[in-house]
Amino acid sequence: MGVDVDPKTLEIAADASAHAYRQATAHIGEEIKARDPRNLTALIDTLAPEGPYAYTIMPRIGADGSVTLPVLTTREEIAEAYAFIRGMSDLHEVVGLTEVVGSWYLFQDSLTVGGPSGTDVRNHRQTLGLFPSGREHGITGELVWLRVPTAQLGAPDDPEVEAGDELHARKHTFDRFQQHLAGLRANDVEAVLEPIHDGAASAVRDYVAGTGALVELSGKDAHRSWYRDLFAAYDIRSVQVLHVVTDTWYVFAELRITAARRDSGDVVAFHTAEFHVRARDGRFIARIGH
């Protein structure tokens, strides 16, 4: 008995995913080849022709467990950042151990091999990477998190959650994310914020201002203000989970959010792809996506 699925639907979805995958892997390939920080033309040319771009490739972890997510949105800022990074280090290999290939992005949980420029040193690190792309050539962003021990994230006096074995630790992280989704569905600011750390940093696309640019939120008050503005502008009607990956220390998900504009009643929909990294107390302290 055949599977009753429209073949055209499958073809369209497969073509879109293949396009997104090609744009992301072409970028990664050029980043691996880039060795001269004075000549990064081929690397920069893997960006989509026009911004605003969604870049946060150098998250900073403070000695006090705080997180800062510098946001870059212009081609010039990104070129400057790559010149700095490639002047210090070489990227040798990226192995996507877990990959979600969406119709407009590639998400990777990767083994990344790099080292100081011009040396034989090889460092093996785990990274999360999200590469959104547009309709045509190039990626529209690169959103990266280099894994650090969860115990180092959050205030030193935060209680460290005891989640049990790996399976239950994943379930604990999953449950926190479900709280966030429930808050979105209820248009409830405080419910959305409950699983978010007081010192959380987010780099997410700004649907409130309508610019399409990435916005950086630092601290719970900034998150509270942004979500108040979001719910004042939109009545969230539904939140559909299209993809979800849950580990002990992060959740990645693509959501389709359907909402009505409060000023006109027009129904709109937008997709988000984000990963949420948890702190020592189990709440999310870094939220990165598009």
Side-chain angles (χ1 to χ4, degrees), residues 255-271:
L255 308 177
R256 178 177 173 84
I257 299 174
T258 303
R261 297 183 187 273
R262 293 193 186 274
D263 57 357
S264 66
D266 292 343
V267 176
V268 297
F270 41 91
H271 287 218

Side-chain angles (χ1 to χ4, degrees), residues 199-279:
S202 294
V204 294
R205 193 172 184 183
D206 193 350
Y207 286 103
V208 175
T211 63
L214 212 63
V215 61
E216 180 182 0
L217 306 175
S218 297
K220 207 158 199 175
D221 286 344
H223 285 77
R224 179 174 287 107
S225 176
W226 191 84
Y227 276 108
R228 280 177 178 164
D229 289 345
L230 177 69
F231 294 145
Y234 295 99
D235 174 26
I236 306 299
R237 299 287 179 84
S238 68
V239 179
Q240 179 184 0
V241 180
L242 301 179
H243 297 286
V244 63
V245 178
T246 307
D247 205 328
T248 58
W249 59 282
Y250 79 87
V251 173
F252 165 79
E254 180 185 0
L255 308 177
R256 178 177 173 84
I257 299 174
T258 303
R261 297 183 187 273
R262 293 193 186 274
D263 57 357
S264 66
D266 292 343
V267 176
V268 297
F270 41 91
H271 287 218
T272 64
E274 297 177 353
F275 51 88
H276 302 232
V277 179
R278 78 171 186 87

Side-chain angles (χ1 to χ4, degrees), residues 16-127:
S17 296
H19 172 78
Y21 188 80
R22 283 195 302 270
Q23 306 316 303
T25 53
H27 172 81
I28 295 168
E30 289 298 337
E31 194 166 353
I32 290 172
K33 288 190 285 186
R35 291 291 184 267
D36 184 353
R38 298 165 299 179
N39 183 14
L40 298 175
T41 302
L43 175 58
I44 301 304
D45 282 348
T46 62
L47 274 63
E50 296 182 3
Y53 302 100
Y55 263 69
T56 177
I57 54 179
M58 294 187 290
R60 294 195 289 265
I61 312 300
D64 60 352
S66 62
V67 175
T68 305
L69 299 172
V71 166
L72 309 177
T73 60
T74 70
R75 208 175 185 89
E76 293 73 23
E77 290 172 333
I78 295 165
E80 184 178 340
Y82 276 130
F84 174 74
I85 294 169
R86 293 285 75 89
M88 295 192 307
S89 64
D90 294 332
L91 180 64
H92 299 289
E93 187 178 16
V94 178
V95 182
L97 302 176
T98 296
E99 292 187 329
V100 178
V101 187
S103 59
W104 56 279
Y105 66 85
L106 170 65
F107 167 75
Q108 291 182 323
D109 178 345
S110 300
L111 166 64
T112 300
V113 183
S117 295
T119 72
D120 294 328
V121 176
R122 298 290 187 272
N123 300 315
H124 295 72
R125 304 292 297 272
Q126 185 176 4
T127 57

